[in-house]
Amino acid sequence: MKYSLRLSTFTFLFFQFIFSQTGELTGSLIDADFQDPVPFANILVKGTTIGTTSDFDGNYKLTLEEGTHTLSFSFLGYKTVEITDVVIKANEITNVNVTMETLAEGLDEVVVSVSVKKNTETAVLGIQKKAVNLLDGLSAEAFKKSGSSDVASAIKSVPGVSVQGGKYVYVRGLGDRYTKSILNGVDIPGLDPDRNTIQLDIFPTNIIDNILVLKSASADLPADFTGGIVDIVTKDYPTKKEHSISLGGSYNPDMHFNENYLDYKGGSTDFLGFDNGNRSVPINRNQEIPSTFEYNPLLTAITKKFNPVLSAMKANSAMDYSFGFTTGNQYNVGEGENRLGFLASLSYKNTTTFYEGAENNFYRRNADTSVFELETDRTQTGDLGRNNVLVSGLLGTSFKTEKSKYKLNLLHIQNGESTAGYFSQTLNFTDFINFSKDNLEYTQRSITNALLSGIHSSEDASWTTEWALSPTMSKIQDKDIRTTSFRVEDGVYSIPQNNQPKRIWRDLEEINAVAKLDFTKKYDFLEKDAKLKFGAYGSYKNRDFGILNFEIENNGSTTKFNGIADNILLEENLWTVNNNSGSYIDPDISVAEPANTYEAAQQNIAGYVSNEFKLGQKLRTILGVRVEKFESKYTGEDNKDINDPEKVIYDNETIIDKFDLFPTANLIYELTEEVNLRGSYSRTTARPSFKEASIAKIFDPLSNNTFIGNINLDPTYINNFDFRVEWFGESAEMIALSSFYKKFTDPIELTYFESSSDNFTPQNLGDADVIGLEFELRKNLGFLAAALQNFSLNVNTSIIKSTQVYSESERNLRTLGLRDGETLGNDRELQGQSPFLINSGLNYEGAENGIQMGMNYNVQGKTLQVVGNGFVPDVYTMPFHNLNFNFSKSFGENQNQSVSFKISNLLDDDVESEYESYKAENKTFSKRSPGRSFSLGYNIKF
């Protein structure tokens, strides 16, 4: 009998062991005041002896049996947090993040009990509530809710943020110059290094952990931003082996499967984002080109080396498509808590756009001041096809010990953009003259970035050391831009002598190196927790830039080409020694103009100190100062003859040399547990880019504009004041009202060159002021009716007033161009500053059915784009009303699959810029019709 009982008991325990189901519990512990990890804290499952401790990153992991548990989180000096109703499911990972508050003075222990649902909601806004800076952000979960495949489409929901051209982020309506993008906390150049912000559409959301948008400065941040800093943080390694695959497609009825789409024959590797050499410069830049008078057959041989394709040809356009793959895992290494993890990601995106009736026009005021209507200088209307390929790869590895973490990330982004356009032009000389124009372009861009970083904690976690080294190589190559214009007169096509077909190659290579070192010391001040931060930062940028120009001359009749650009370089139409008539590469054109070849370098050495402490129980004070030694050097020369006494030559000359102090102060007063009052002050800067601080002349063959650099530019300095009242409620609700004031000294603005209306140049045009109000509301609609519990409303709006005082030169030019009865005030709007910004969204999230959907709307007010000069009027970017709908559904085992559907630009609005002038009808500067697009996506994790 006893034997039978023991056997039964053994069998029961054996089968219970075999068939018991377990899941994994993970999460992180964050200090509520300082937003730092809480290392070495105790995590215990109540009623058991099962437990663990958090690592130095504040992370923890437990394997628990399936069921409902209560967890206790405790550490010396903090309130103990008990979280109930934590449900563990078999073979699933449950994530519980905990915000831990310090004990009030004189208390030995306080236990806070909260349900797991309530805790999750608290964690959502925890960072924002306790952050030193005015802060907004998006997590990986937010990307999922919006159905966004890239960062640019996801970040539109952040308060005060707008996205221009589907790529570039603006904060608080301020232009690109005043917004800064960084990757994992360090600077990297974008695919357009002349911009301060990185193209956000190059980052697929499957490699991003979160995005932080900081709207106020602190001493540990770079000083060269004003509107905001956008920090893109890539994913760390996952807690277990995980793979994901994503597929997507997008259809635009106006653009895709269109037989009128324009293209041209490129290279066999265009689909991979780079040219196979088909568009490389065909001859050495130092090659002597003989003239026709020398009767040298070498001239014909050189001409034959140039690709004869010059016409934009009709083709059938494909729809957009994309795919991505991500994999990662972690392993225990040796004894103890040492872990090694990796993350690898590959993504591919191919997009096709086609604009029918695209416009680029120039208008001017009549010399007679009694005439109000604008006169045509040049109009251009036509069709434009563009194919853009984006390939990105990320490989990251991390090694974590008990008190240290080392991280290495390698990122490469490859981008190829092919453009073909055919336009009708009208130029107003003494009479109107008509032209047809073919335009072919290919731009190849790449970024290669490495980031090696480390973080180390002392035995008692009172000291933290962080460091990072990050080199980046950025390349941009405009490969064989081809523009061909025919004069059209009574149905006859000819090539004028002053408008020969052009071939342009541009080559930009930039090296960027960043190093930073930060120390943090936690200590007691007035018997309260305080934190001292100090550190150093260094960056070095070096750019090589050059342009090669060629023109095709013809000493015979050009009417035989019949307006077909491809006929120009047909073999039977080439100049030869025998016929002494035909097309050839013009030897009289300077292949490499000295002004368009330059080398420049920028160096910035910085140090900072910041102290965070509490005065009383309610007021957090963060005071800091940053010093930066910035230097910019330039090597180049103008186009004057070497023997001309007025020739200008720069040989590694210092054009900017500044040593600046940037003080910061942030005050946070906790009025109640739910309400914060915030105030901040900072001094920041906006420095000219390499292209702006140069003597280069860069021609845009699509718009016929020429950018002319200004080597005498000064940096802009800005004093920033912010005040904010914010209320945090349940269910991730928040209401905030903010005001800000910014004082600009010497802002840099793009204006017309005084002697030519189609040349642009940057200038310091006088001081400016910006004052604004922001309102933000995040509200769950369950208070209206129980059926609306899963619906939420997000609204944020900014109203901004900017004033730019006229400089003396601008005032004089504007006075000369005044119309009869028109008066000139003392100021105008700041270029690039939007007067208002609205982001809103109505969202549904069904926790049980896996459905998430939303309707989102955003618009930016009429914004000064190009500053006029009196006889050329101001250009304004018109509001673009962007309404999008998205739907996603999760399904499958553990909700590991999802499908998404999205409609973009539901209102079918156009992207337009217009001239505005006193008592005159607005005229179009540029216009594109993006149409509506319908996107479908699928994602699976396994």
Side-chain angles (χ1 to χ4, degrees):
M1 185 68 180
K2 290 182 179 179
Y3 174 79
S4 177
L5 179 62
R6 285 197 297 267
L7 180 62
S8 299
T9 304
F10 175 79
T11 303
F12 172 75
L13 293 174
F14 175 78
F15 277 99
Q16 186 184 43
F17 174 77
I18 291 295
F19 293 106
S20 65
Q21 298 291 303
T22 62
E24 203 164 80
L25 176 70
T26 64
S28 59
L29 279 62
I30 300 295
D31 182 292
D33 288 328
F34 295 125
Q35 297 301 301
D36 291 330
V38 180
F40 321 130
N42 300 308
I43 300 99
L44 184 67
V45 181
K46 288 204 72 175
T48 74
T49 58
I50 300 171
T52 187
T53 58
S54 59
D55 63 19
F56 91 103
D57 253 346
N59 298 325
Y60 71 92
K61 182 171 69 171
L62 273 173
T63 300
L64 299 176
E65 288 187 5
E66 189 175 20
T68 302
H69 303 271
T70 297
L71 300 174
S72 173
F73 300 84
S74 62
F75 192 60
L76 185 65
Y78 289 88
K79 297 177 183 178
T80 297
V81 178
E82 287 188 358
I83 299 181
T84 61
D85 305 322
V86 178
V87 177
I88 302 297
K89 295 181 180 180
N91 304 314
E92 288 189 26
I93 296 175
T94 301
N95 190 264
V96 177
N97 297 321
V98 181
T99 300
M100 301 192 69
E101 299 180 359
T102 54
L103 282 169
E105 190 176 344
L107 295 179
D108 292 328
E109 185 179 12
V110 172
V111 178
V112 180
S113 184
V114 63
S115 70
V116 68
K117 180 178 184 297
K118 173 73 175 178
N119 177 74
T120 301
E121 293 162 356
T122 304
V124 169
L125 292 175
I127 292 179
Q128 186 171 348
K129 183 178 180 181
K130 296 293 185 176
V132 169
N133 313 83
L134 293 177
L135 173 72
D136 289 291
L138 287 175
S139 65
E141 187 64 24
F143 302 148
K144 181 181 175 183
K145 290 180 183 179
S146 65
S148 302
S149 60
D150 61 63
V151 172
S153 57
I155 202 170
K156 293 175 184 177
S157 61
V158 173
V161 168
S162 60
V163 177
Q164 300 298 310
K167 303 176 183 180
Y168 300 105
V169 62
Y170 290 6
V171 179
R172 285 181 163 173
L174 285 161
D176 167 80
R177 182 183 309 282
Y178 303 109
T179 302
K180 187 178 184 67
S181 297
I182 56 179
L183 181 67
N184 294 315
V186 298
D187 288 22
I188 69 164
L191 290 177
D192 183 351
D194 289 306
R195 287 181 173 267
N196 213 23
T197 57
I198 307 168
Q199 278 184 236
L200 295 187
D201 63 336
I202 67 178
F203 295 104
T205 52
N206 64 343
I207 69 170
I208 304 300
D209 187 53
N210 61 68
I211 303 171
L212 300 177
V213 180
L214 299 97
K215 298 177 184 176
S216 66
S218 55
D220 57 321
L221 296 173
D224 55 340
F225 84 96
T226 299
I229 282 186
V230 179
D231 189 6
I232 303 162
V233 182
T234 55
K235 284 184 177 179
D236 209 340
Y237 57 78
T239 56
K240 66 174 184 177
K241 183 187 289 187
E242 186 175 273
H243 316 288
S244 69
I245 295 175
S246 60
L247 303 171
S250 181
Y251 170 68
N252 186 317
D254 295 334
M255 296 186 178
H256 299 142
F257 306 122
N258 190 322
E259 294 180 350
N260 294 319
Y261 176 74
L262 295 180
D263 197 3
Y264 76 100
K265 185 179 180 181
S268 59
T269 57
D270 285 5
F271 77 100
L272 294 175
F274 64 91
D275 177 57
N276 65 347
N278 189 46
R279 301 180 181 90
S280 297
V281 183
I283 63 174
N284 188 289
R285 61 180 295 163
N286 298 317
Q287 170 73 55
E288 288 286 339
I289 302 175
S291 70
T292 55
F293 301 110
E294 298 177 44
Y295 292 94
N296 190 334
L298 179 62
L299 179 59
T300 306
I302 289 173
T303 305
K304 284 184 176 181
K305 287 180 178 293
F306 285 75
N307 192 315
V309 176
L310 295 176
S311 295
M313 304 299 292
K314 287 189 177 181
N316 204 330
S317 57
M319 63 183 288
D320 300 343
Y321 58 95
S322 63
F323 65 84
F325 174 73
T326 303
T327 183
N329 200 0
Q330 66 163 296
Y331 309 91
N332 289 326
V333 179
E335 297 180 357
E337 295 297 318
N338 295 350
R339 292 198 296 273
L340 179 68
F342 78 93
L343 177 75
S345 174
L346 178 67
S347 67
Y348 179 89
K349 188 177 182 182
N350 191 309
T351 58
T352 299
T353 53
F354 181 48
Y355 299 108
E356 293 185 279
E359 294 185 50
N360 290 94
N361 305 314
F362 279 90
Y363 291 87
R364 61 173 181 259
R365 285 174 158 180
N366 194 291
D368 183 351
T369 59
S370 66
V371 178
F372 296 102
E373 292 302 323
L374 297 176
E375 289 189 338
T376 300
D377 186 55
R378 184 183 73 243
T379 62
Q380 175 178 286
T381 304
D383 299 338
L384 181 67
R386 178 172 292 143
N387 180 249
N388 191 296
V389 174
L390 188 66
V391 185
S392 65
L394 172 71
L395 178 62
T397 183
S398 297
F399 178 66
K400 186 185 291 188
T401 67
E402 186 179 355
K403 293 183 175 58
S404 293
K405 180 180 178 182
Y406 304 88
K407 191 172 183 179
L408 175 63
N409 272 0
L410 302 176
L411 173 70
H412 181 78
I413 298 172
Q414 187 70 42
N415 175 231
E417 186 174 78
S418 176
T419 304
Y422 184 77
F423 303 92
S424 296
Q425 291 183 322
T426 299
L427 275 67
N428 183 9
F429 295 120
T430 55
D431 197 359
F432 288 97
I433 302 173
N434 296 321
F435 287 85
S436 69
K437 175 183 171 183
D438 287 89
N439 192 81
L440 309 180
E441 298 183 41
Y442 186 81
T443 302
Q444 179 177 303
R445 309 177 181 96
S446 67
I447 299 174
T448 304
N449 170 258
L451 172 65
L452 178 64
S453 62
I455 178 170
H456 314 278
S457 177
S458 63
E459 287 292 333
D460 60 356
S462 62
W463 277 97
T464 303
T465 304
E466 297 183 62
W467 56 270
L469 300 171
S470 181
T472 305
M473 168 73 80
S474 178
K475 293 183 179 181
I476 299 181
Q477 296 172 299
D478 290 322
K479 308 192 76 171
D480 201 0
I481 296 173
R482 313 166 202 181
T483 178
T484 308
S485 295
F486 287 93
R487 180 172 176 169
V488 186
E489 196 169 13
D490 297 326
V492 178
Y493 293 80
S494 61
I495 300 176
Q497 281 299 311
N498 61 348
N499 201 10
Q500 295 94 338
K502 294 177 175 59
R503 311 289 286 264
I504 301 171
W505 280 262
R506 288 194 282 252
D507 196 357
L508 182 153
E509 183 174 301
E510 183 170 314
I511 296 172
N512 187 0
V514 176
K516 58 181 294 190
L517 179 63
D518 301 286
F519 299 96
T520 303
K521 169 62 177 174
K522 294 181 180 178
Y523 69 102
D524 288 337
F525 178 73
L526 300 177
E527 298 183 342
K528 298 178 184 65
D529 290 339
K531 183 167 68 173
L532 176 69
K533 292 186 71 175
F534 58 96
Y537 169 94
S539 71
Y540 176 79
K541 299 179 183 179
N542 182 276
R543 175 181 293 187
D544 274 319
F545 179 77
I547 301 177
L548 299 181
N549 295 285
F550 299 91
E551 292 189 6
I552 302 171
E553 182 60 274
N554 190 292
N555 61 357
S557 171
T558 58
T559 57
K560 63 182 179 182
F561 300 140
N562 297 318
I564 300 174
D566 276 351
N567 289 342
I568 295 173
L569 291 180
L570 289 177
E571 188 157 353
E572 60 265 29
N573 292 328
L574 298 183
W575 180 94
T576 66
V577 172
N578 296 326
N579 63 24
N580 193 27
S581 176
S583 303
Y584 58 91
I585 300 301
D586 192 342
D588 297 325
I589 298 299
S590 177
V591 173
E593 292 185 344
N596 286 335
T597 300
Y598 69 83
E599 182 180 354
Q602 293 179 351
Q603 178 178 282
N604 189 18
I605 304 298
Y608 76 90
V609 61
S610 172
N611 198 18
E612 180 176 350
F613 53 91
K614 267 192 172 184
L615 295 175
Q617 294 297 323
K618 301 280 190 177
L619 180 63
R620 288 174 64 206
T621 304
I622 306 95
L623 302 176
V625 65
R626 186 179 184 91
V627 295
E628 292 194 356
K629 176 69 167 64
F630 179 82
E631 191 174 27
S632 183
K633 295 188 175 184
Y634 187 83
T635 299
E637 58 184 273
D638 64 16
N639 289 330
K640 293 187 177 70
D641 186 84
I642 192 67
N643 297 315
D644 191 325
E646 295 185 0
K647 183 175 179 63
V648 176
I649 298 176
Y650 297 91
D651 185 9
N652 200 33
E653 268 191 50
T654 300
I655 57 174
I656 300 176
D657 188 1
K658 299 288 184 180
F659 181 83
D660 294 305
L661 291 176
F662 298 102
T664 63
N666 288 274
L667 304 176
I668 304 109
Y669 185 79
E670 187 179 332
L671 197 63
T672 68
E673 285 193 8
E674 292 81 24
V675 179
N676 282 341
L677 302 180
R678 290 179 177 269
S680 71
Y681 163 77
S682 63
R683 182 174 186 256
T684 57
T685 186
R687 301 181 177 110
S689 68
F690 280 123
K691 182 175 77 171
E692 291 172 332
S694 74
I695 55 175
K697 299 177 181 179
I698 302 173
F699 173 69
D700 178 8
L702 182 60
S703 64
N704 283 335
N705 299 337
T706 299
F707 176 91
I708 300 175
N710 179 1
I711 204 161
N712 296 313
L713 283 174
D714 290 321
T716 304
Y717 293 98
I718 308 99
N719 286 298
N720 308 274
F721 300 87
D722 289 89
F723 179 75
R724 178 174 173 129
V725 181
E726 52 191 17
W727 171 84
F728 297 87
E730 297 183 358
S731 303
E733 294 179 339
M734 191 187 86
I735 300 175
L737 180 65
S738 308
S739 63
F740 59 89
Y741 170 72
K742 300 178 183 292
K743 175 69 175 176
F744 293 76
T745 303
D746 291 328
I748 301 169
E749 299 187 297
L750 189 65
T751 186
Y752 294 103
F753 205 72
E754 292 181 17
S755 59
S756 176
S757 63
D758 55 2
N759 292 345
F760 299 99
T761 187
Q763 292 186 16
N764 298 109
L765 290 178
D767 297 342
D769 297 285
V770 173
I771 187 168
L773 289 174
E774 286 181 331
F775 174 74
E776 180 183 358
L777 169 68
R778 303 183 197 178
K779 183 66 177 173
N780 183 280
L781 300 184
F783 73 99
L784 295 175
L788 298 177
Q789 189 64 42
N790 291 334
F791 288 87
S792 62
L793 178 68
N794 297 330
V795 177
N796 60 82
T797 184
S798 304
I799 301 171
I800 304 158
K801 169 71 173 175
S802 65
T803 54
Q804 165 94 45
V805 178
Y806 292 126
S807 65
E808 184 178 354
S809 61
E810 183 182 358
R811 173 178 289 280
N812 292 338
L813 286 169
R814 285 183 177 268
T815 300
L816 289 173
L818 288 177
R819 306 292 93 181
D820 291 353
E822 182 182 9
T823 58
L824 185 68
N826 295 318
D827 52 55
R828 55 166 170 80
E829 306 100 313
L830 179 68
Q831 186 217 353
Q833 175 65 70
S834 172
F836 69 85
L837 188 70
I838 299 173
N839 291 326
S840 61
L842 179 63
N843 298 288
Y844 169 85
E845 182 175 1
E848 300 300 324
N849 57 23
I851 292 176
Q852 295 176 336
M853 59 182 173
M855 187 78 75
N856 298 286
Y857 169 79
N858 56 73
V859 65
Q860 182 170 313
K862 185 181 74 175
T863 304
L864 181 60
Q865 179 178 339
V866 183
V867 180
N869 67 359
F871 285 98
V872 180
D874 295 326
V875 176
Y876 287 87
T877 303
M878 296 294 111
F880 176 69
H881 299 272
N882 190 19
L883 180 65
N884 302 318
F885 170 78
N886 59 272
F887 171 91
S888 68
K889 164 70 175 174
S890 299
F891 61 95
E893 185 181 356
N894 302 328
Q895 302 285 292
N896 68 322
Q897 299 179 68
S898 65
V899 292
S900 62
F901 174 70
K902 185 174 183 179
I903 307 176
S904 300
N905 194 20
L906 273 165
L907 301 177
D908 198 22
D909 206 4
D910 293 331
V911 179
E912 291 184 90
S913 297
E914 294 182 354
Y915 287 97
E916 286 195 358
S917 183
Y918 180 72
K919 286 189 177 180
E921 180 185 357
N922 283 12
K923 296 293 185 179
T924 299
F925 174 72
S926 68
K927 181 180 179 180
R928 302 287 187 270
S929 300
R932 294 188 190 92
S933 63
F934 303 84
S935 304
L936 190 64
Y938 171 75
N939 181 272
I940 181 171
K941 293 182 179 180
F942 56 96

